[in-house]
Amino acid sequence: DAMRHEAYEARANILQQGQISDCFYVVSSGVCHVHKDGQLVAILKDGQCFGELELMYHSKCRATVNAVTDVELWALGQDVYRQIVMQVSIQKRRLYEDLLLRVSALK
């Protein structure tokens, strides 16, 4: 199983600015607040996600994420996330190569 289910009660701290994170998260249900340097910068609801920048750039969390209500998340680990990103990149590259091969001016 690539994704694992995580549940947090209202007011729980999910991620703390400056901590190391190794997951990409998708909000399944509930509401989360995102704070950066103490300022509210985003409200996340069902279907929205967070954590991708930390995985892509091997960086610490750039913001704190707190549960406003009871929250259910799906977490995808770093290794699986990177595999998916690489597969998508390869697919896009092949698509662009195929398109370029069909352009008569480039032959």
Side-chain angles (χ1 to χ4, degrees):
D1 296 340
M3 298 187 89
R4 71 175 183 269
H5 181 262
E6 294 185 7
Y8 295 88
E9 293 181 357
R11 295 182 295 283
N13 187 27
I14 300 168
L15 288 178
Q16 183 68 39
Q17 186 173 349
Q19 92 178 62
I20 302 291
S21 175
D22 63 351
C23 288
F24 168 73
Y25 297 93
V26 179
V27 179
S28 177
S29 65
V31 177
C32 299
H33 279 178
V34 181
H35 291 86
K36 183 169 182 167
D37 300 324
Q39 298 292 319
L40 179 66
V41 294
I43 298 172
L44 303 176
K45 298 179 181 176
D46 302 4
Q48 294 183 297
C49 54
F50 59 95
E52 67 277 9
L53 294 177
E54 291 76 11
L55 296 184
M56 290 171 49
Y57 300 112
H58 304 284
S59 63
K60 294 180 180 178
C61 295
R62 295 181 173 144
T64 296
V65 180
N66 295 310
V68 176
T69 64
D70 288 350
V71 172
E72 292 190 24
L73 304 172
W74 287 102
L76 183 66
Q78 186 173 27
D79 292 338
V80 175
Y81 179 82
R82 285 196 185 139
Q83 288 175 354
I84 292 169
V85 169
M86 287 300 296
Q87 287 173 356
V88 170
S89 296
I90 290 168
Q91 289 172 350
K92 282 185 180 180
R93 181 177 175 192
R94 287 182 185 148
L95 174 66
Y96 296 145
E97 288 172 348
D98 289 345
L99 289 172
L100 289 173
L101 290 172
R102 293 183 190 152
V103 177
S104 59
L106 298 176
K107 290 183 180 181

